[in-house]
Amino acid sequence: MAAFITRRFFYMLVTVAAISVMTFIIIQLPPGDYVTAMVAQLNLQGTTVDPAEMAALRARYGLDDPLHVQYWKWISNIVFAGDFGYSLEWRRPVADLLWNRLGLTFLLALVTLLFIWAISLPIGIYTAVRKNTVGDYLATLIGVLGLAIPNFLFALVLMYISFRYFGTGIGGLYSPEYENAAWSWGKLINLGQHLIIPTIVLGTSGTAALIRILRANLLDELSKPYVTTARAYGLSENRLLLKYPVRIALNPFISTVGWVLPTLVSGATITAVVLNLPMTGPLLLQALISQDMYLAGSFILMLSVLTVIGTLLSDLLLAWLDPRIRYT
């Protein structure tokens, strides 16, 4: 097991290093830089910028340095000093913007993951055990609808119902009176109330997919000879179900630790805009549009690191749950 963990950890470090290089290169691929994007916006407003001022801004921010020099300055400051650079658009350290948005995104991702597991696990087991019943067909219908309906459309519908029939708005993560207030039990409860709708919206498609995956895996396990043999030995149905087939069929649930973060972040950008959520998606999109390379690069790097860490945890949990994986 120690060799398995060491090997996986080494792969994680190599992957993160490769991601950092690819991230910086991809951000630099579009023509121009932050200064040209800012000048283009000023020209649309009728303001003319002197070329000497543009050259001075590029020299100030180091935009004229070779690509490898810019990359080394960026990554070395992150690794050795924890400095993610300075946002050219927001005029603030990237770390201030990064940890504020990333913390809320991680919180929502964690709550959504728990919601997905809590709903899909019992329903997936029920639909496999009660195959071709009314409950199975109903769960299948709900699952298909959950996969088919776009998250942003579902969010708009829930916002309308909340405002039309309950007289409350669900935009943002806090009510106006708690927006800038100090932390208290009231603010924590208010945060929990505002997390309900985003959790349901973001977790619907993931729940529907996991229900179908768990049902298919569990049906496959229930048809294997060892289940028939266990029944012949007189093992109770509940013990037989939970000790063997369900444990093996749980592999997809453990695997979700690795892919839930990128799925939520990539799929939640439009939803975050609709629900006015202070998450990473909208800020990352704006940073890419304005070519704010330090802000965009830091966001992509940290999200990739979280994904790699999630994949590492997923591998370790799968190895603990299924010995065949670590021996392979």
Side-chain angles (χ1 to χ4, degrees):
M1 189 67 178
F4 177 83
I5 296 175
T6 304
R7 186 168 61 251
R8 284 292 185 271
F9 187 75
F10 174 75
Y11 291 160
M12 184 190 75
L13 294 179
V14 174
T15 303
V16 170
I19 287 174
S20 69
V21 175
M22 293 303 299
T23 297
F24 200 82
I25 292 175
I26 291 173
I27 292 175
Q28 296 286 349
L29 284 179
D33 49 35
Y34 172 76
V35 174
T36 57
M38 180 186 66
V39 171
Q41 185 177 3
L42 292 175
N43 290 336
L44 290 176
Q45 299 173 357
T47 304
T48 303
V49 180
D50 185 39
E53 295 180 4
M54 294 176 58
L57 287 173
R58 284 197 178 91
R60 177 182 177 184
Y61 295 125
L63 300 178
D64 288 331
D65 293 338
L67 186 60
H68 66 278
V69 174
Q70 296 184 46
Y71 168 77
W72 176 248
K73 287 181 179 179
W74 176 61
I75 199 66
S76 61
N77 286 332
I78 292 176
V79 174
F80 300 114
D83 182 9
F84 290 86
Y86 193 78
S87 173
L88 306 179
E89 182 179 13
W90 290 80
R91 302 291 194 273
R92 291 174 59 186
V94 170
D96 295 346
L97 301 168
L98 181 69
W99 298 122
N100 184 24
R101 298 295 183 102
L102 201 60
L104 294 174
T105 301
F106 183 77
L107 172 63
L108 184 56
L110 178 61
V111 173
T112 303
L113 177 62
L114 296 177
F115 170 80
I116 291 173
W117 283 355
I119 300 298
S120 57
L121 179 59
I123 295 179
I125 295 176
Y126 174 83
T127 55
V129 175
R130 307 296 182 185
K131 180 184 177 183
N132 296 330
T133 61
V134 175
D136 182 21
Y137 293 143
L138 182 61
T140 300
L141 175 62
I142 296 175
V144 171
L145 291 176
L147 289 171
I149 299 176
N151 287 345
F152 72 90
L153 180 59
F154 191 31
L156 289 173
V157 172
L158 291 182
M159 288 181 69
Y160 172 78
I161 293 175
S162 176
F163 182 78
R164 178 69 175 80
Y165 296 101
F166 300 98
T168 58
I170 59 172
L173 290 179
Y174 305 100
S175 298
E177 60 270 22
Y178 288 105
E179 189 69 37
N180 298 315
W183 280 103
S184 63
W185 283 111
K187 185 172 182 177
L188 187 62
I189 294 173
N190 185 258
L191 174 62
Q193 292 172 343
H194 282 73
L195 282 176
I196 294 175
I197 298 300
T199 300
I200 294 175
V201 171
L202 297 176
T204 301
S205 59
T207 301
L210 274 186
I211 289 175
R212 307 308 301 164
I213 294 173
L214 179 60
R215 179 182 183 274
N217 285 3
L218 191 53
L219 284 174
D220 182 58
E221 291 299 320
L222 291 174
S223 63
K224 290 184 177 180
Y226 77 86
V227 177
T228 304
T229 304
R231 285 198 180 102
Y233 276 99
L235 198 64
S236 65
E237 195 66 25
N238 287 338
R239 185 180 179 187
L240 165 65
L241 182 67
L242 296 177
K243 188 174 182 179
Y244 297 108
V246 170
R247 181 179 178 182
I248 297 175
L250 278 179
N251 285 4
F253 277 75
I254 305 301
S255 300
T256 57
V257 176
W259 59 258
V260 70
L261 281 176
T263 301
L264 286 175
V265 172
S266 61
T269 300
I270 299 177
T271 305
V273 173
V274 172
L275 293 176
N276 192 27
L277 299 176
M279 296 174 60
T280 57
L283 190 59
L284 174 58
L285 178 61
Q286 181 59 36
L288 292 172
I289 293 174
S290 63
Q291 295 183 280
D292 192 346
M293 60 179 184
Y294 293 121
L295 180 59
S298 298
F299 265 125
I300 296 175
L301 179 63
M302 291 305 298
L303 293 174
S304 301
V305 168
L306 287 177
T307 303
V308 173
I309 291 175
T311 304
L312 175 65
L313 294 177
S314 175
D315 289 341
L316 297 179
L317 290 174
L318 283 173
W320 170 76
L321 185 68
D322 191 347
R324 296 172 300 178
I325 295 177
R326 64 172 178 266
Y327 291 142
T328 302

